[in-house]
Amino acid sequence: MDTARHKAIPPLAPGRCQVWWAPTSAADPRLLALLDPHERDRHDGFLREADRARFLVAHALARIVAAEHAATGPELIRYWPGAAGRQGAGAKPRFADAAADLELSISHSGEHTAVALSRAAAVGVDVERIGPQAAEASLVESVLAAAEQLELGALPESARAWGFCRYWTRKEAILKATGDGLSVSLRRISVTGATRPPALLHWSGPGRPTEPVDLYDLDVGPGYTASLATVGVSLERPPSEHDGEPLLGGWR
């Protein structure tokens, strides 16, 4: 990694977390050289160009940042067998070898891609584009517990789609951090509402983590919501957010 790129990626100390953002428009075929054969197969398997672009941006960016923290090359980053590229199914990707001490989570929606990395604490990140369908009754009932539905209904109608997506990303971030993914119903998890600081309130049924769960809202810009969760060691400070587009540009 050249000196300019090295300076752009600050060190990642234990108890810290970094979130790297990049737009889908940063995708470039030359970034495919950074991916391993399994990731390239996953990339080629998407039917829509937008999905291929999101996958490429997310996994190239994850490799570039992880390589700096592991003092190796992006193309040398390895995953545990079968773990690469499975984030979309709720499974948790895990690095191996030199990067094995790094926790990773990936999310993308619309034009935004997020890559979260941490040491020690398990991490989950989720970003969602706010659409008018977000406040539809059937979706609200399938995602929110009864008390959450009441709190959402108390918001002005113009704010309900945003409020629902805030609930959604907080819950998804937790399930990504625990590794449960879609195997746990979102209704089993209760979190604070959109106008309150993020926190896990209740987890019904078996499987609640015995370690501390911390939640953070991220600054993704208008039209989106994003959240990050950690499980295990509490962060010494809130996650730092960084622009990953210049890092991708350096490899094009």
Side-chain angles (χ1 to χ4, degrees):
M1 183 173 288
D2 61 35
T3 302
R5 193 177 300 117
H6 178 85
K7 289 181 179 179
I9 303 177
L12 180 62
R16 303 285 178 84
C17 178
Q18 295 175 352
V19 179
W20 291 83
W21 293 99
T24 303
S25 58
D28 187 284
R30 285 170 287 186
L31 294 171
L32 286 168
L34 300 180
L35 307 189
D36 64 26
H38 178 77
E39 288 171 304
R40 288 194 288 272
D41 286 345
R42 283 293 310 277
H43 168 273
D44 295 343
F46 289 107
L47 298 179
R48 298 173 61 241
E49 176 59 33
D51 293 331
R52 290 194 294 272
R54 292 185 189 103
F55 184 92
L56 178 57
V57 167
H59 287 266
L61 182 58
R63 284 179 168 274
I64 292 168
V65 179
E68 170 64 20
H69 296 320
T72 188
E75 71 282 0
L76 300 178
I77 291 292
R78 298 287 180 260
Y79 289 87
W80 287 111
R86 297 175 56 207
Q87 183 77 7
K92 196 172 180 63
R94 296 188 182 279
F95 292 126
D97 302 331
D101 67 328
L102 294 173
E103 287 280 344
L104 168 69
S105 184
I106 290 171
S107 183
H108 38 66
S109 182
E111 272 296 307
H112 289 287
T113 293
V115 173
L117 293 113
S118 181
R119 283 194 165 101
V123 64
V125 67
D126 192 63
V127 56
E128 297 292 338
R129 181 165 53 185
I130 302 170
Q133 73 282 358
E136 290 181 357
S138 60
L139 186 57
V140 169
E141 291 172 2
S142 68
V143 171
L144 302 188
E148 293 172 328
Q149 293 180 40
L150 290 174
E151 190 166 2
L152 180 69
L155 293 176
E157 186 173 355
S158 61
R160 287 176 192 167
W162 164 77
F164 173 80
C165 287
R166 182 64 85 193
Y167 275 117
W168 181 285
T169 58
R170 288 175 178 178
K171 294 186 178 198
E172 284 274 8
I174 291 171
L175 293 179
K176 286 184 176 183
T178 62
D180 289 296
L182 300 179
S183 67
V184 172
S185 168
L186 294 177
R187 281 181 57 90
R188 286 181 49 194
I189 298 174
S190 294
V191 296
T192 47
T195 60
R196 294 193 283 159
L200 171 63
L201 298 177
H202 181 67
W203 182 309
S204 64
R208 177 178 177 133
T210 57
E211 299 174 303
V213 176
D214 295 316
L215 268 174
Y216 305 87
D217 293 332
L218 302 175
D219 182 15
V220 67
Y224 292 80
T225 62
S227 301
L228 181 134
T230 60
V231 178
V233 179
S234 294
L235 299 180
E236 295 177 357
R237 61 184 64 175
S240 58
E241 300 184 54
H242 308 269
D243 181 8
E245 186 173 9
L247 300 181
L248 295 170
W251 288 94
R252 297 201 296 263

